[in-house]
Amino acid sequence: MKIKYLSTLIIALFGLLMVSCSDRLNIAENGNRGGVDKFYSTDNEADEALASLYISLRSNYFDWFFVKNMLSDDSWTGGGSRGDNSQLEGLNEYTFSTDNSMIGGLYSALYTNIYKANLIIDKVHGTSSEMQRDIAEARYWRAFCNFELVTLWGTPPLIDHLLSTKEYRPSNSTPAKLWAAVDTDLKTAISSNALPSKTSVNDSITGQRITKEAAEALLGKSYLFQGKYSEAASMLDKVIESDKYCLYTGDYSTLLHAVNNNCCESIVELQMRNDTEQEWNQMTMLYLMIGWRTDHLNISGDAATNIATGTYGFMNPTKSLYNAFVSDEGINGYRLKNTIRTYAQMNDYGVTLQSGISLYGNEGYFNWKNRCLKSDCITDASYFQALQYIDLHFMRYAEVLLMAAEANLETGNTTKALKYTNLIRNRAKLSSLSTITLSDIKLEKRLELCFEGIRYQDLIRWNDASTALANQGAQIPCYFSTGVSYDYSNSNYGFKEKNKLLPIPLKEIELNSNISQNANW
């Protein structure tokens, strides 16, 4: 109690001292920039608000990326050993409950982003082109967040304005209302004429922020998920026919690396900078986590020259994914070798397991697509490999093509469906298809976009999750130099009916008596 009273006294004396000093200072308003209602009145202030939203999106990317990838059948959690990250293991094996911290973190982050978007949409009233662009971008990101909320949780609250104190405990919304909000925001952003288009396919500057075509692509994706195939085809065709984007035709294995930041295939990516003065402000655990488990490996030859070591070995490809590649393009497929490497191929590259060591959560396949390269690093910090400047990818042109292929197929336009799918196949150095089915598009989408946070939501909307994920987590592999062993198992595992929606996080239920949990959670 004495400490409490002493602290109070010190605070009071400090306040008196500050008042006394302020009497002698000739600083207008003591530097006060005014309240929230006085801010957002200039282009710079609107830009600052948008920058805050982008910083929030960047800091939230880790949970967004891992939640969606761990829920798919393309990767094992991995790590150093069993229990290295129990939250990710729970997601990957379908043993998670309502208190999973990754689910809770993503849910909270999406609403934080919506709040920051609402500040711009509700408070910026200027008519300058810069302010109007900021508002349109805020609408895009609010739509993006609501898209994730409705596809992952189904019934969370719709927050389409800044809340008053009486509104702090909102009730569940409905999928219909959330979808309507997504579509309205995107259509408003597009029709505002405030979003620019790239000047050409090789314009790497304009696309660093949201373009008109990026908004059209997300609207097309929204229509596709709602089963509005004609609308989806029309919108996605617009993006394709704009001729502002194309598939990258250089070294496929570098497509998602720093050398190709903002390349011709980029639709939406958050910017990172190769700036040593700002490197710790940009740090991300992403590539530290998904780089190979290098403390279990011997690294020599080309690998020693190119690979950034000191990474943790999470998100290892499944045998199921590898076999899907082989079925489509054979064991020597160009896209396969630039996405996944076998242990034998790793040996040729200069990577071997240390004597007596195993790789947990690994079936003998290594993520080559997202390998951690020294050339990606602002600083090659092998003690804590978290300083890359690879842009954070949300959508690329390949996804637009495959969504357009699906939408056109569903409307009976097989010519366009074939054309778009064959563009993907030809880039992968595969022969063109002469006929096409939805199964063909599903397979190409899995192979082309694996590890990019897309497949799980597709499996749900295709009603394929119950089959594809039924045995997820039944047995967990360990890889030894002599082969794979399934040493861990769960009695409760795999996708169940309740998993069609994620649970509303437990803390939200505890804090908000007006919100109801999703069915069977």
Side-chain angles (χ1 to χ4, degrees):
M1 295 298 291
K2 289 182 179 179
I3 293 174
K4 177 181 178 182
Y5 292 141
L6 181 60
S7 298
T8 303
L9 178 60
I10 290 171
I11 292 169
L13 289 172
F14 183 75
L16 288 172
L17 179 63
M18 292 305 293
V19 170
S20 178
C21 290
S22 67
D23 290 341
R24 300 183 181 92
L25 294 175
N26 185 23
I27 300 175
E29 296 186 14
N30 292 332
N32 184 2
R33 300 179 70 184
V36 68
D37 292 325
K38 293 184 179 180
F39 199 69
Y40 312 105
S41 58
T42 68
D43 285 356
N44 284 341
E45 289 171 348
D47 286 346
E48 285 179 32
L50 186 66
S52 177
L53 171 56
Y54 273 96
I55 290 170
S56 180
L57 287 158
R58 192 171 68 189
S59 66
N60 303 153
Y61 187 86
F62 182 91
D63 283 350
W64 178 88
F65 180 88
F66 268 105
V67 167
K68 302 208 297 179
N69 281 302
M70 286 297 101
L71 288 169
S72 84
D73 55 345
D74 285 346
S75 58
W76 294 107
T77 300
S81 61
R82 184 68 177 171
D84 195 355
N85 192 307
S86 60
Q87 299 302 299
L88 291 182
E89 288 173 355
L91 290 168
N92 195 223
E93 299 162 24
Y94 284 85
T95 60
F96 62 90
S97 61
T98 60
D99 63 350
N100 182 278
S101 63
M102 299 290 288
I103 292 175
L106 177 57
Y107 183 93
S108 177
L110 291 169
Y111 280 109
T112 297
N113 298 336
I114 287 173
Y115 167 71
K116 291 190 174 186
N118 284 342
L119 280 171
I120 298 168
I121 296 165
D122 289 3
K123 295 294 184 181
V124 175
H125 300 301
T127 58
S128 71
S129 60
E130 186 62 22
M131 286 185 174
Q132 291 303 302
R133 182 179 181 181
D134 291 343
I135 294 169
E137 289 192 47
R139 286 192 178 277
Y140 173 92
W141 287 113
R142 186 168 71 177
F144 168 87
C145 292
N146 279 321
F147 177 93
E148 299 295 338
L149 286 166
V150 69
T151 55
L152 293 172
W153 284 275
T155 64
L158 171 61
I159 309 299
D160 59 1
H161 62 282
L162 293 171
L163 301 181
S164 68
T165 54
K166 295 180 180 179
E167 299 176 296
Y168 280 174
R169 289 180 172 81
S171 59
N172 300 70
S173 187
T174 64
K177 290 179 180 179
L178 286 159
W179 282 122
V182 171
D183 294 351
T184 297
D185 268 339
L186 291 170
K187 286 188 283 189
T188 302
I190 293 165
S191 64
S192 70
N193 294 318
L195 295 174
S197 297
K198 289 170 59 178
T199 57
S200 70
V201 71
N202 293 315
D203 176 2
S204 62
I205 303 300
T206 307
Q208 292 181 15
R209 292 172 61 177
I210 299 303
T211 63
K212 177 183 177 182
E213 288 73 26
E216 290 172 341
L218 184 56
L219 182 55
K221 186 171 184 175
S222 174
Y223 287 146
L224 183 66
F225 270 67
Q226 294 175 70
K228 298 178 179 179
Y229 298 118
S230 178
E231 294 93 331
S234 175
M235 194 58 59
L236 295 165
D237 284 349
K238 279 187 179 182
V239 179
I240 295 166
E241 292 163 7
S242 73
D243 292 327
K244 304 298 184 182
Y245 304 89
C246 69
L247 293 175
Y248 174 71
T249 56
D251 180 359
Y252 186 81
S253 75
T254 66
L255 177 55
L256 298 184
H257 290 267
V259 68
N260 281 311
N261 285 350
N262 305 303
C263 76
C264 59
E265 193 162 336
S266 168
I267 300 290
V268 179
E269 57 190 62
L270 298 182
Q271 302 301 298
M272 304 289 276
R273 291 288 181 263
N274 187 10
D275 182 351
T276 55
E277 292 185 2
Q278 295 294 322
E279 61 185 0
W280 288 105
N281 291 331
Q282 299 185 99
M283 67 156 285
T284 172
M285 293 285 287
L286 186 66
Y287 296 99
L288 174 66
M289 290 284 281
I290 62 180
W292 309 328
R293 189 76 195 191
T294 54
D295 65 344
H296 288 17
L297 303 170
N298 301 308
I299 310 288
S300 62
D302 290 341
T305 300
N306 298 316
I307 297 300
T309 59
T311 49
Y312 291 172
F314 289 86
M315 210 175 85
N316 302 309
T318 61
K319 184 177 181 180
S320 165
L321 176 61
Y322 179 80
N323 288 343
F325 269 103
V326 172
S327 72
D328 193 44
E329 54 191 70
I331 60 173
N332 293 314
Y334 170 78
R335 182 171 53 185
L336 168 57
K337 289 195 295 185
N338 286 298
T339 304
I340 298 172
R341 292 287 172 97
T342 65
Y343 182 63
Q345 290 168 329
M346 293 289 281
N347 290 176
D348 293 339
Y349 187 58
V351 178
T352 59
L353 266 172
Q354 294 175 7
S355 178
I357 296 293
S358 65
L359 293 174
Y360 169 74
N362 190 304
E363 291 181 287
Y365 305 104
F366 294 77
N367 185 337
W368 191 262
K369 186 178 191 176
N370 300 114
R371 68 199 184 283
C372 197
L373 296 173
K374 290 183 178 181
S375 59
D376 291 326
C377 298
I378 305 171
T379 297
D380 182 10
S382 60
Y383 56 90
F384 189 69
Q385 202 63 265
L387 301 174
Q388 290 78 29
Y389 66 103
I390 306 169
D391 283 353
L392 306 178
H393 298 86
F394 283 108
M395 184 183 288
R396 58 186 176 93
Y397 187 59
E399 183 184 359
V400 173
L401 286 171
L402 289 168
M403 289 192 297
E406 181 182 349
N408 276 284
L409 179 66
E410 294 287 1
T411 60
N413 193 335
T414 57
T415 300
K416 278 189 174 180
L418 271 169
K419 176 183 176 182
Y420 298 153
T421 304
N422 283 332
L423 285 172
I424 300 293
R425 289 179 59 82
N426 295 162
R427 197 261 296 271
K429 304 189 185 304
L430 297 170
S431 59
S432 296
L433 298 173
S434 57
T435 60
I436 191 164
T437 66
L438 182 57
S439 294
D440 294 325
I441 296 171
K442 288 180 180 180
L443 177 59
E444 288 304 316
K445 199 169 188 186
R446 183 184 190 186
L447 304 186
E448 178 64 32
L449 300 169
C450 60
F451 316 136
E452 296 186 43
I454 292 169
R455 180 162 170 80
Y456 171 72
Q457 284 147 302
D458 277 344
L459 289 174
I460 297 293
R461 74 179 177 88
W462 288 329
N463 291 316
D464 290 345
S466 297
T467 301
L469 302 168
N471 295 315
Q472 189 94 349
Q475 293 181 306
I476 315 302
C478 264
Y479 188 76
F480 300 82
S481 58
T482 54
V484 65
S485 174
Y486 294 87
D487 294 342
Y488 300 92
S489 62
N490 289 303
S491 57
N492 178 33
Y493 59 85
F495 187 93
K496 307 167 188 67
E497 181 68 19
K498 68 178 182 179
N499 294 121
K500 289 182 177 179
L501 295 175
L502 295 179
I504 305 294
L506 177 61
K507 67 178 181 179
E508 304 294 333
I509 300 292
E510 292 175 339
L511 291 171
N512 183 358
S513 59
N514 294 325
I515 197 167
S516 299
Q517 185 56 273
N518 283 328
N520 301 315
W521 282 101

